[in-house]
Amino acid sequence: MTIEKRRPQRATDLGGVDWIKSSYSGGSESQCVETADLTGTPFNAVAIRDSKMRNGSVLLVTPKAFAAFTAFVSEANHRRFNR
């Protein structure tokens, strides 16, 4: 994996990163999000991209922010389906 220290603008700036499709994407190819764990890199972040635009823009968030976001989504889904 080759990652420069500057902030990436596009997914192609993160060459060699392993992207993982979100389990919340629901199997629909039109609504998919992928993430990449960059915590062992100089970015110390989680990268997020639209799987339909693999060479498009990347959002970087701190691991703490990503954990809070996924916990919120999980709780919201739990409340939604367990009324």
Side-chain angles (χ1 to χ4, degrees):
M1 171 182 354
T2 305
I3 297 180
E4 297 177 32
K5 190 155 179 132
R6 67 181 178 83
R7 290 300 231 186
Q9 299 296 316
R10 303 182 111 8
T12 53
D13 294 339
L14 299 173
V17 171
D18 292 324
W19 293 92
I20 300 169
K21 185 175 178 180
S22 170
S23 61
Y24 287 99
S25 293
S28 171
E29 291 299 319
S30 64
Q31 298 178 359
C32 300
V33 174
E34 295 177 326
T35 61
D37 182 0
L38 304 179
T39 55
T41 73
F43 297 116
N44 190 34
V46 176
I48 304 167
R49 73 176 180 184
D50 181 343
S51 63
K52 296 182 306 304
M53 301 179 66
R54 293 193 169 160
N55 296 326
S57 298
V58 174
L59 173 65
L60 294 183
V61 297
T62 65
K64 184 177 180 179
F66 187 73
F69 170 73
T70 56
F72 173 80
V73 170
S74 179
E75 178 61 28
N77 277 338
H78 178 73
R79 284 193 310 266
R80 178 178 171 201
F81 295 113
N82 295 304
R83 290 182 178 192

